[in-house]
Amino acid sequence: MEFLYAIINFLILCAILFVFGRKAAAKIFSDRLERVKRGLDEAERAEGEAESDADLPKIPASFSDALPESVLCETAAIRSRAEEEAERIRNRTEDTVTSLRREMLADARDRLIDAVCEKAAAMMAGEPYRSAIRAKEEQFADEIVRRMEITPGDIAYLKRHDVLYVTLTSAEPLPQSIVDRIGERALAMLEEVGGKPSYWVREDPELIGGFRFRVGDTVYDFTIKDRLYQLRRELENMPLTGREDAEALVRQAAEAVSSMTYGMSEFQLGRVLSVFDGICWMDGLADIMYGEVVEFENGERGMVLDIEADRIGCIIYGNYAKIESGTRVRRVGRIASVPVGEAMLGRVVDPLGRALDGGGRIFTDERRPIECAAPSIPDRAAVSRPLHTGIRAIDALVPIGRGQRELIIGDRQTGKTSIIVDTILNQKGTGTICIYVAIGQKDSAVMEIRDRLRQYGAMEYTTIVCAPASASASFQYIAPFAGAAMGEYFMYRGQDVLIVYDDLSKHAVAYREISLLLGRPSGREAYPGDIFYLHARLLERAAQLSPENGGGSMTALPVIETQAGDISAYIPTNVISITDGQIFLDSDLFNEGQRPAVNVGLSVSRVGSAAQTKLMKQVSSRLRMDLAQYRELAGFTQFGADVDAATRRVLESGRRMMAALKQKRYAPLPDWLQALVIFAVSEGLAADVDPGDMEAWSSLLAARMAEKYPELLNLLKLGGKLSPEEREVLKRAAADCGSAMKDEAA
Ligand code: ATP
Ligand code: MG
């Protein structure tokens, strides 16, 4: 029964829910429908309004005339700036694309050259080439008979060894008539110079085809092997623009092969006598020149550094493990050189100009010899333009001029490299190209400098030539010369260059190592006698060229590390006497917290003050005297002597001035801002500033002046001498800013 009631209750509930629920659901749906309809109506109305907006009257063309001139100018300027920027980005992107293309094409070309040479060798080893070569044998024999000569070098060899080797080597047996004809002429020549008859005839299938005749060191070569060598050189030296496609590369190679003529090459050959520690002794190569490049059989190269009566010494550039006594050496016929050009900027390279930064191969069209004569006196002009380092202590007291050589000297860890990095940073926006040559530094230190320069956007105009401590002595030896060649490229094009050799003490040590290995007599401190000449000829290349020669300049900042402040050691005295002044960094000052630790007494610039701005000269003239006076008094009073009020005043202001010369790293200051602070301090405006707060005070003063007296700062920027009235105005303004700062602090 209960069950029946439950069913009836349930049915009643269902009926109620059906009646009321249907009503509620219908209401909800009708609300929604209403809202959607409203939305659609609104949208339709808005669309109608928008359409009617199009009917607004057009802005008349004369409207722009009503705008103020300044708005139009500003708009035009913004537009042209945007266009310039877009153009710059377009160019940069294009450069990147070109260099990527070149890189990939160069790889492809290397493989193509291998394949082409292999194919050419196989082809020329067979018919009909062999018969063609055989048909020319008579003609070549005539040419050899005509050109054959015994050089003075050969005669010297003959006198020493009593014999001169004459050899005829062919790929396959030669007709007897040719062998005899060449032999007769050679023996007649030998007789003329008093040599024994020594004529050998050999066969060597490796020559593939043709023959080669050798008298003493000179080789007259008609072989296929030599042709293939020449073909490879030619293909490797073909310029790549980056626009070639695969067909163009193949066409280039095919053209080179088809234009290959079967002619004679004449060169001098030598032989390795011994090789050790990157040094190689050779004989032969009678007419070789100092500094010339030689090529070993395995493709490695070296540079001649020593020519003795019966042997020639050279340094080997790369890996010398595969070179052994008996290896053939060939003259390349040019002095050692490095690639130069715009493409070197922003890169870290080794002393042969090869990329070390993983940024891909560097493609340049020009090379310069690493050793070259310095500009002569008539080609130079007087040093007259300043090269601002951005460091107060240097620009005010030991100013550097463009084209000058200024030595940076000090013990280890006294901030030598920091000064250089700041100077490079300060060249930003001046159009000066910077070359940083790192010799014997740690790899990590060089990479840190690179990162720092990149961080401040200075790598764009800088090349780092890196011969780290881990590199061979030969690399360390040639690094500064390679850097100088890269700098000269820009100097002779009329640009300004700053070159830094960090450091020449390690360069001297590398040269000493090479010299001792070459068996040269050692002199003072075991350095060879020509170490002075080595650094003199390097630094002599820094110059300010005359306007007729383009007016470019190269300023050199060599670095020398001293031992316990001893500037009278051999290498420091040498370089001090070569350069036009030195910035001496004192480790005592450094440890006292005076950074940069420039010792004002021992530092000097012999030409730079001629290049200082008139303003800087005016404001810093008293500074040097005052500091000298301070140093003298400070020396006396450090024993705790009782001093009178006047002396105390001098000491106080001296201390303040020294504090004003302190400067943080990576914060180079413009010249006129330096002048302002020095002016303020030497006028006694910082009399009650604590020496410890001087650095903060100087930057605050500069900021305050820029805010309150911008017109006075503009006057300073002109760099001219201040008239007494201008001095007074500046003094009052600086005093005003100073007292305002004091009030704020209080
Ligand atoms: P090395 O003999 O090893 O080549 P160096 O003489 O080139 O040394 P730096 O490497 O330039 O000296 O500097 C040595 C240390 O001095 C650095 O660690 C740097 O932090 C500090 N230093 C240099 N100049 C300043 C400066 N102006 N302000 C603060 N610290 C500095
Ligand atoms: Mg250093």
Side-chain angles (χ1 to χ4, degrees):
M1 204 60 192
E2 267 181 32
F3 181 66
L4 192 67
Y5 280 138
I7 287 179
I8 292 169
N9 278 346
F10 179 71
L11 286 177
I12 292 170
L13 193 66
C14 282
I16 294 168
L17 274 179
F18 177 72
V19 172
F20 289 101
R22 202 176 56 163
K23 273 196 177 161
K27 186 157 182 345
I28 290 168
F29 278 116
S30 70
D31 277 359
R32 282 265 162 87
L33 202 66
E34 191 64 25
R35 244 185 287 158
V36 170
K37 260 194 187 154
R38 256 204 322 270
L40 280 174
D41 286 349
E42 255 170 45
E44 218 165 279
R45 213 173 33 248
E47 203 179 347
E49 273 169 20
E51 270 171 16
S52 65
D53 272 355
D55 298 336
L56 274 176
K58 290 251 180 328
I59 297 174
S62 60
F63 175 75
S64 63
D65 298 344
L67 287 175
E69 188 70 15
S70 62
V71 171
L72 292 178
C73 287
E74 202 177 325
T75 316
I78 289 173
R79 192 199 152 120
S80 79
R81 264 209 309 279
E83 269 169 14
E84 267 169 31
E85 183 66 8
E87 183 63 26
R88 215 167 53 80
I89 291 172
R90 246 197 312 275
N91 287 345
R92 214 164 46 195
T93 316
E94 210 160 286
D95 286 351
T96 314
V97 170
T98 309
S99 66
L100 268 176
R101 274 211 202 118
R102 272 188 173 181
E103 176 75 31
M104 292 166 95
L105 282 168
D107 278 343
R109 195 173 66 175
D110 287 351
R111 281 199 296 277
L112 179 72
I113 291 174
D114 285 344
V116 165
C117 288
E118 207 175 300
K119 187 91 189 148
M123 215 164 65
M124 294 174 95
E127 294 296 343
Y129 294 92
R130 285 186 159 218
S131 11
I133 289 164
R134 237 176 271 127
K136 287 202 162 204
E137 277 168 355
E138 283 289 342
Q139 185 193 330
F140 292 154
D142 289 346
E143 203 169 333
I144 286 181
V145 168
R146 204 175 58 246
R147 290 174 67 161
M148 178 191 318
E149 61 173 0
I150 295 182
T151 62
D154 292 335
I155 296 175
Y157 184 89
L158 177 70
K159 281 205 183 119
R160 264 197 320 277
H161 296 92
D162 205 26
V163 65
L164 192 69
Y165 297 101
V166 179
T167 348
L168 180 67
T169 319
S170 58
E172 37 189 304
L174 284 173
Q176 195 57 37
S177 61
I178 291 183
V179 175
D180 290 346
R181 198 141 53 89
I182 296 177
E184 259 169 43
R185 172 84 187 106
L187 291 174
M189 258 177 27
L190 272 179
E191 206 180 327
E192 268 173 40
V193 294
K196 282 191 227 158
S198 50
Y199 178 49
W200 280 270
V201 181
R202 294 208 187 107
E203 271 170 44
D204 181 2
E206 272 198 14
L207 300 180
I208 307 176
F211 59 91
R212 162 193 286 179
F213 178 66
R214 178 175 176 190
V215 189
D217 299 334
T218 315
V219 179
Y220 304 90
D221 201 319
F222 286 109
T223 60
I224 303 276
K225 191 178 175 192
D226 181 66
R227 283 296 100 191
L228 290 170
Y229 170 85
Q230 304 288 357
L231 173 71
R232 182 175 281 274
R233 285 274 160 280
E234 191 183 334
L235 286 171
E236 279 169 355
N237 289 336
M238 278 194 178
L240 268 186
T241 59
R243 307 224 164 269
E244 295 90 346
D245 49 20
E247 283 80 33
L249 283 188
V250 174
R251 206 167 44 244
Q252 253 186 10
E255 269 166 25
V257 173
S258 64
S259 65
M260 203 163 86
T261 51
Y262 187 54
M264 183 184 81
S265 43
E266 185 182 330
F267 56 90
Q268 283 193 327
L269 213 59
R271 209 163 40 103
V272 173
L273 295 175
S274 63
V275 53
F276 55 91
D277 294 332
I279 300 284
C280 163
W281 285 108
M282 309 167 289
D283 71 355
L285 303 166
D287 295 339
I288 196 111
M289 292 182 289
Y290 182 87
E292 202 177 305
V293 180
V294 287
E295 189 179 281
F296 297 91
E297 253 172 320
N298 64 350
E300 282 297 346
R301 291 192 165 196
M303 184 176 99
V304 172
L305 266 197
D306 216 274
I307 301 176
E308 293 181 8
D310 53 355
R311 58 179 191 170
I312 291 156
C314 86
I315 48 174
I316 302 167
Y317 286 157
N319 182 8
Y320 55 91
K322 284 196 190 143
I323 299 170
E324 48 195 32
S325 58
T327 303
R328 295 269 174 221
V329 199
R330 177 180 180 141
R331 271 180 80 177
V332 172
R334 61 173 171 77
I335 296 291
S337 60
V338 280
V340 295
E342 303 275 343
M344 308 302 289
L345 296 180
R347 305 300 300 264
V348 182
V349 296
D350 74 0
L352 296 180
R354 297 176 300 201
L356 285 181
D357 52 5
R361 256 183 264 196
I362 303 172
F363 294 91
T364 58
D365 301 331
E366 274 191 66
R367 299 182 74 87
R368 271 190 78 86
I370 60 170
E371 292 261 15
C372 98
S376 61
I377 306 279
D379 291 342
R380 295 177 184 239
V383 172
S384 59
R385 294 175 300 141
L387 182 123
H388 291 133
T389 60
I391 300 169
R392 267 195 293 261
I394 296 178
D395 288 349
L397 297 167
V398 265
I400 302 171
R402 290 186 188 270
Q404 187 181 340
R405 300 153 299 172
E406 182 80 7
L407 170 65
I408 297 175
I409 186 168
D411 279 5
R412 53 178 301 276
Q413 289 288 302
T414 47
K416 302 182 295 295
T417 307
S418 306
I419 286 187
I420 282 158
V421 173
D422 280 350
T423 309
I424 294 179
L425 296 186
N426 198 44
Q427 303 314 310
K428 191 169 184 178
T430 60
T432 309
I433 304 291
C434 299
I435 315 257
Y436 177 77
V437 185
I439 310 158
Q441 308 280 327
K442 278 184 288 192
D443 288 272
S444 58
V446 181
M447 286 310 124
E448 201 189 311
I449 291 173
R450 198 264 317 255
D451 291 344
R452 199 58 82 171
L453 294 178
R454 196 170 275 169
Q455 180 190 346
Y456 289 96
M459 235 6 234
E460 284 165 28
Y461 53 88
T462 307
T463 303
I464 299 182
V465 181
C466 180
S470 55
S472 65
S474 2
F475 263 25
Q476 293 186 34
Y477 160 66
I478 57 173
F481 293 96
M486 290 172 195
E488 275 169 341
Y489 168 80
F490 295 103
M491 174 175 77
Y492 284 112
R493 279 163 37 122
Q495 281 174 272
D496 290 318
V497 180
L498 165 72
I499 184 160
V500 181
Y501 307 110
D502 192 6
D503 65 50
L504 285 190
S505 335
K506 299 205 178 69
H507 183 240
V509 169
Y511 189 58
R512 173 168 67 182
E513 186 181 325
I514 292 173
S515 297
L516 291 176
L517 286 170
L518 286 171
R520 291 185 186 165
S522 53
R524 189 172 152 189
E525 292 178 27
Y527 288 105
D530 64 341
I531 191 92
F532 183 92
Y533 173 55
L534 174 82
H535 287 156
R537 71 170 192 264
L538 172 70
L539 293 168
E540 200 63 22
R541 287 160 77 173
Q544 164 70 63
L545 293 179
S546 61
E548 300 82 63
N549 289 295
S553 74
M554 185 152 88
T555 314
L557 296 183
V559 175
I560 287 282
E561 184 184 304
T562 50
Q563 308 290 330
D566 181 13
I567 50 172
S568 57
Y570 187 34
I571 301 300
T573 40
N574 274 357
V575 185
I576 286 175
S577 58
I578 294 166
T579 48
D580 312 307
Q582 71 273 355
I583 295 167
F584 183 74
L585 300 178
D586 197 329
S587 48
D588 288 342
L589 281 178
F590 188 86
N591 294 336
E592 280 166 21
Q594 176 72 28
R595 295 173 193 185
V598 179
N599 181 324
V600 183
L602 289 178
S603 301
V604 60
S605 171
R606 290 182 202 115
V607 290
S609 57
Q612 242 175 348
T613 58
K614 290 204 173 70
L615 170 72
M616 197 51 147
K617 214 186 256 180
Q618 188 183 16
V619 300
S620 65
S621 57
R622 248 182 66 189
L623 188 64
R624 186 173 269 280
M625 295 295 292
D626 289 351
L627 282 175
Q629 203 181 3
Y630 158 71
R631 261 197 327 279
E632 203 151 295
L633 289 176
F636 275 116
T637 50
Q638 69 183 353
F639 305 110
D642 219 1
V643 292
D644 59 79
T647 314
R648 194 171 306 121
R649 245 193 333 273
V650 173
L651 285 174
E652 278 294 308
S653 94
R655 224 166 276 143
R656 213 159 277 122
M657 261 173 225
M658 287 299 281
L661 294 181
K662 283 187 190 172
Q663 202 170 327
K664 285 203 187 72
R665 292 205 288 173
Y666 317 126
L669 287 174
D671 183 55
W672 50 273
L673 216 54
Q674 299 177 8
L676 169 69
V677 173
I678 293 171
F679 174 80
V681 176
S682 54
E683 289 293 337
L685 298 176
D688 39 12
V689 180
D690 186 63
D693 300 334
M694 270 315 283
E695 217 175 329
W697 183 84
S698 330
S699 38
L700 214 61
L701 174 73
R704 184 53 72 95
M705 284 286 285
E707 196 184 304
K708 282 183 84 175
Y709 301 98
E711 72 288 355
L712 276 180
L713 288 196
N714 285 340
L715 177 76
L716 291 180
K717 275 183 203 171
L718 294 177
K721 194 173 173 181
L722 298 177
S723 65
E725 298 81 53
E726 284 167 342
R727 264 183 93 101
E728 270 314 304
V729 175
L730 188 65
K731 194 172 162 185
R732 271 205 303 278
D736 175 30
C737 290
S739 51
M741 275 149 55
K742 204 159 50 183
D743 293 346
E744 259 169 42

